[in-house]
Every structure is written in C-alpha cells, then in structure tokens.
Amino acid sequence: MSAELLAVLLGLFSAVTLASANLAVKIGADILVGRAILSCSAALLIAPAALFVPLPDGKVIGALALAMPAHFFYQMCLVQAMSRGALSLVFPVMRGLAPLLTAATAWAFLGQRLNVIEWLALGGATAAIIAFALPPRGSRLRDHPDGAALIWAGLTAVGVSLYNATDARGVRLAADPLTFIVWLFLVDWICVTSAALLLRRGQLLAAIRPQWRSAVTAGALSIFSFGSSLYAMSLIDAAKVSALRETSVVFAAAMGALLLKEGFGARRMAAAGALATALVALQFAG
C-alpha cells in the first residue's frame, strides 16, 4: 500500500471515529457527564505515553494554560448544543462553521486573498449551513424549534477555532510536539470533570452508571481519531488530512438519521454532503 493511500484511509478513519465518538456521547442520558467520562478515560488510556515523551518545559506549560480554557469553552458549548439539538443538526454546523469562520476571518482581518474556487467553496459551505439552520416547513424563523441548539452550535464552532489556534501554538512551541499532545490529553479532563462534579452533586453516580461504557468508548475513539489524523499528516500535507477529516459531518448526519432516527434525515444528509464537498474544496484550493 502506498503512503498516499494509507494517509487517505487514515484521514477517513479519523473522520468516522470523530463522528462515532460524538454519537457515543449523544446516546447517553447526560451529555456533560458523558464528556467528563470521555476526557477521563482518554487521559487514562494515553497516560503510559507520558513515560516516552520529554517532560513539559515552561513554554509547554504556558501553552497548556492557554489551551485548557479554550478546550473548556468548547466542551461546555458542545454539551449545551448536543443537549438541545439532534446530532445530525448540531455536529455538522459546529464542525462546518469553524473552518468557515477561520477562512472568513483571514480574509476580513488578515488581508488574505481568496481565489475563485475558495470564494465558491465559501459560498457553498455557507449555503449548506443555512440549509441546516432553516426551520421546519411552516415554522417562522423566530419560532425555530432548534434556535437555541443552533446558537450553541455556533458558539461551539468558535470554541473549535479557539482551541485549534492554542493547540497549533503549543505544538510549535514544544521541542517535541508529542509532549504537548500527550499532556493536553492528561490535563483536558480537569475542567469538564470539575464542572460535572459541581453541577451534578448527589446525582453523579446515578448519571454515570447507564452510560459509562459508551462514554469510555468515546474516549478511546477520540484518541484513535486524533492519532490517526496525526500519523496521516506525517505522510501527506496537513491541509489534505484536515480536508478528509471534514467528511465527519457526513458520517455524523448519517449516524443521526439512521441510528438515532432523527428527523429531516434526507435534507441534512444532502446538506452535509454539500458542506463536506465545499470544505474539502476550500482546503485544496488554498
């Protein structure tokens, strides 16, 4: 098998496992507790790797101190979005809007010029997001039944953009990028688990029992997703891997429609396909 083909397969595997991790959390009765278990299990699973990477120095510790609140903001917005809306709605919006925001910000504030394909891709991605956001037929926009979920999904996209920036900074500052990556997993559980302990006082054990298996599975899937994308980036350009990973919006829409029996399946799957196509074009056109 060629390196290019292996990288493509790893990128698609990363997309599937990313969507599957969110599916595993979504099926739980308490999204906050599910996220806390996911983060704790991911930390435990990756802990042995800390023995094989250099200890974090002052620069890495500072980068982790910036990354933790960004990840916490993302996690809490994600909890709110997934608690209020269907997976096939909020996941494509929050994952698709993040690179859209990044590209628009680079154009508006950093003076980055966009070529014709990039403009078309931005337009296509925007149209797809609007298709997700449209209320059901016969409903007015102000009476949108998923209005709150969409607002939180948008804020989650902001969180994705924030942690992408802090993580990229941390990887660049670290003498060994794996040090930052491993230690990020090792500290990422602290804030969201503290929130769960605070907000679910007296109810935590009851919330853990019915969903710990699916949440632990989600933790393992999150490591597989991140690890496979990281390895793929060592074989081909990072932008191409990121583009392949954006196909997770299609897998999440399909899982929501087929496995969770969420409504508007055909419309959302079509919009997810258009969104993924536009995001891939945006990555490859740059």
Side-chain angles (χ1 to χ4, degrees):
M1 182 183 297
S2 68
E4 290 79 8
L5 178 58
L6 177 60
V8 168
L9 293 176
L10 287 171
L12 292 174
F13 177 74
S14 177
V16 173
T17 48
L18 177 61
S20 299
N22 283 272
L23 171 69
V25 171
K26 178 64 177 173
I27 63 177
D30 191 312
I31 304 298
L32 174 59
V33 172
R35 284 297 307 184
I37 300 172
L38 181 157
S39 297
C40 288
S41 58
L44 289 172
L45 288 169
I46 208 168
L51 300 174
F52 302 98
V53 299
L55 290 172
D57 57 16
K59 290 182 178 180
V60 171
I61 291 172
L64 289 170
L66 283 177
M68 285 180 67
H71 278 261
F72 182 55
F73 176 79
Y74 156 76
Q75 289 172 326
M76 296 307 291
C77 291
L78 174 68
V79 167
Q80 295 296 327
M82 293 186 70
S83 298
R84 288 168 167 77
L87 178 70
S88 61
L89 172 66
V90 298
F91 184 88
V93 170
M94 67 192 187
R95 296 302 306 188
L97 194 56
L100 195 62
L101 288 172
T102 300
T105 301
W107 169 73
F109 299 106
L110 302 180
Q112 180 176 317
R113 295 188 176 184
L114 303 178
N115 59 41
V116 174
I117 296 177
E118 287 174 314
W119 276 115
L120 290 173
L122 276 175
T126 302
I129 294 291
I130 291 172
F132 277 108
L134 287 174
R137 186 175 299 176
S139 299
R140 291 178 295 181
L141 188 60
R142 66 181 182 181
D143 299 324
H144 201 312
D146 294 310
L150 287 167
I151 291 172
W152 283 109
L155 290 172
T156 306
V158 174
V160 172
S161 299
L162 288 173
Y163 82 64
N164 278 340
T166 59
D167 290 358
R169 179 177 179 272
V171 169
R172 287 196 300 268
L173 286 175
D176 184 341
L178 288 176
T179 295
F180 177 81
I181 293 165
V182 169
W183 279 90
L184 180 60
F185 273 104
L186 291 178
V187 301
D188 189 48
W189 63 275
I190 296 174
C191 293
V192 68
T193 303
S194 298
L197 289 170
L198 179 65
L199 298 174
R200 300 293 187 268
R201 289 191 304 272
Q203 305 171 348
L204 190 60
L205 289 179
I208 289 174
R209 288 192 191 101
Q211 66 183 85
W212 71 267
R213 289 181 179 84
S214 60
V216 170
T217 300
L221 287 169
S222 67
I223 293 178
F224 287 139
S225 178
F226 192 79
S228 57
S229 66
L230 185 67
Y231 187 74
M233 287 178 186
S234 70
L235 300 175
I236 60 174
D237 291 344
K240 295 180 180 179
V241 178
S242 297
L244 290 168
R245 205 163 190 246
E246 300 302 351
T247 60
S248 61
V249 300
V250 177
F251 296 117
M255 290 173 184
L258 300 176
L259 301 179
L260 300 181
K261 308 301 181 184
E262 296 173 348
F264 309 103
R267 178 179 118 184
R268 288 179 183 167
M269 286 182 68
L275 178 59
T277 301
L279 294 174
V280 169
L282 187 62
Q283 291 282 9
F284 278 86

